[in-house]
Amino acid sequence: MSAQAEPRTAGSLAVASGRPTGELRLEIGLRGGRGIATSQFHQGALRVIRPHYLDESGQVCYVVVNPGGGYLGGDVYELDVDVAAGARLLLTTQSATKVYRTPGSHAFQQTRLRLGPGASLEYLPDQLIAYRDASYRQHTVVELDGRASLVMGEIVTPGWSPDGTLFRYDEVRLRSDIYVDGALLALDNLVIRPAQAGSPVTGMVFLEDYTHLGSLMVVDRRVNAALVDELYEVLGPLDPEGQLGISLLDGPGLVLRALSGSTDALNILLLAAVDLLRGRWFGQGRLDLRKY
């Protein structure tokens, strides 16, 4: 299947012809109470910085790097991460994912995440920035054991010109297929096409007057209605315009979505939710990635 093809049915990933632009495979195991890489492979424009530990919990942190600086038309990136039983991983990126003009073909990233019994993954990349005439598609398949824990965030923002004008990109399409114990829990297909709205990015269809979208997906057997109420209570003061929504999945999980006019506001909101969960479930302090 070419890089331009749609992802196949739920549970499968599109396969690019030829060598991908960047490929990263990472397997995390548990040794002496700490997460470690048991297998690591990269080629092309994807790699990881050496692991580090932000606290004494044993959770290992890896940072994904794209030395090429951005995604272009026809680029295909493949990310495959396996977290073994009992291991804990925090996966983030060194900086924003920038998608530049993609004439003739979109940029595409395919990601597969697997979590074993008692494993946990916080997948919190920096924001996705789509510039003028950019088209980007992302397909993520997550396979979890019912005793695993997943927290997965995403922020989409338009690029900007030197004079501060926001660019109107062509399309951002984010699809996530979430399986728990082999059964489909959720299929989330988010499509934003500001160019087809015939107006600047500030008039993007369901985004109304907002330009940035944040999303957080949580899958954990400890998720319930009481937790959703608590999240609203904590996040409400950070959402003065009321653009936050949280929905329980038909199973052990929730989806949080928020609209804003800035990346910083969404980062504050999503990280507040992440901090509540990691503190409650794992006894960890506030997340400070100290990237800048």
Side-chain angles (χ1 to χ4, degrees):
M1 184 174 289
S2 70
Q4 298 182 34
E6 290 281 354
R8 295 189 302 231
T9 57
S12 65
L13 293 172
V15 179
S17 59
R19 177 172 293 183
T21 311
E23 183 178 6
L24 174 62
R25 300 174 193 165
L26 185 62
E27 296 181 9
I28 301 297
L30 186 65
R31 181 179 300 167
R34 305 179 85 192
I36 63 164
T38 56
S39 178
Q40 181 179 327
F41 169 83
H42 66 82
Q43 69 175 5
L46 277 186
R47 60 195 63 187
V48 288
I49 298 176
R50 66 180 181 83
H52 55 285
Y53 300 84
L54 301 180
D55 53 34
E56 300 303 317
S57 68
Q59 180 188 45
V60 63
C61 176
Y62 271 95
V63 180
V64 179
V65 179
N66 181 351
Y71 289 20
L72 303 174
D75 282 357
V76 175
Y77 293 86
E78 298 178 1
L79 179 63
D80 194 297
V81 178
D82 194 318
V83 187
R88 300 192 57 229
L89 170 65
L90 168 61
L91 188 65
T92 185
T93 54
Q94 185 182 42
S95 59
T97 298
K98 299 178 180 178
V99 185
Y100 297 110
R101 294 187 184 213
T102 56
S105 179
H106 57 263
F108 179 51
Q109 177 164 308
Q110 52 190 33
T111 303
R112 185 180 291 277
L113 309 173
R114 303 179 188 87
L115 284 73
S120 77
L121 170 62
E122 291 176 328
Y123 182 32
L124 302 171
D126 280 6
Q127 69 269 22
L128 169 70
I129 304 177
Y131 286 85
R132 180 182 291 135
D133 301 325
S135 181
Y136 174 76
R137 299 183 186 182
Q138 176 178 290
H139 187 197
T140 301
V141 173
V142 186
E143 301 170 2
L144 302 92
D145 181 274
R147 293 158 288 179
S149 178
L150 170 73
V151 176
M152 182 169 67
E154 189 87 58
I155 294 177
V156 179
T157 172
W160 57 89
S161 64
D163 65 2
T165 303
L166 296 178
F167 288 148
R168 187 177 63 201
Y169 51 87
D170 288 339
E171 177 185 79
V172 169
R173 181 180 304 215
L174 309 174
R175 171 171 166 167
S176 298
D177 303 3
I178 311 293
Y179 291 84
V180 177
D181 290 334
L184 181 64
L185 171 69
L187 194 159
D188 185 39
N189 193 28
L190 174 65
V191 181
I192 310 173
R193 294 183 179 129
Q196 292 188 12
S199 62
V201 72
T202 50
M204 285 201 301
V205 199
F206 66 90
L207 296 190
E208 298 178 347
D209 293 329
Y210 297 92
T211 54
H212 298 55
L213 183 143
S215 181
L216 191 72
M217 183 169 287
V218 179
V219 180
D220 190 293
R221 56 184 175 173
R222 293 164 287 192
V223 171
N224 54 31
L227 177 62
V228 171
D229 291 341
E230 186 174 1
L231 284 169
Y232 270 122
E233 183 177 344
V234 171
L235 303 181
L238 305 176
D239 178 44
E241 298 185 63
Q243 297 307 310
L244 167 69
I246 307 175
S247 300
L248 277 172
L249 299 175
D250 187 16
L254 63 84
V255 175
L256 180 156
R257 288 255 164 82
L259 302 177
S260 180
S262 76
T263 301
D264 288 344
L266 291 177
N267 270 325
I268 291 172
L269 191 73
L270 296 190
L271 285 178
V274 171
D275 287 342
L276 185 152
L277 297 176
R278 69 199 324 258
R280 174 71 49 79
W281 292 341
F282 301 105
Q284 292 176 276
R286 297 180 61 183
L287 184 59
D288 183 5
L289 295 173
R290 300 190 296 271
K291 296 182 190 177
Y292 311 109

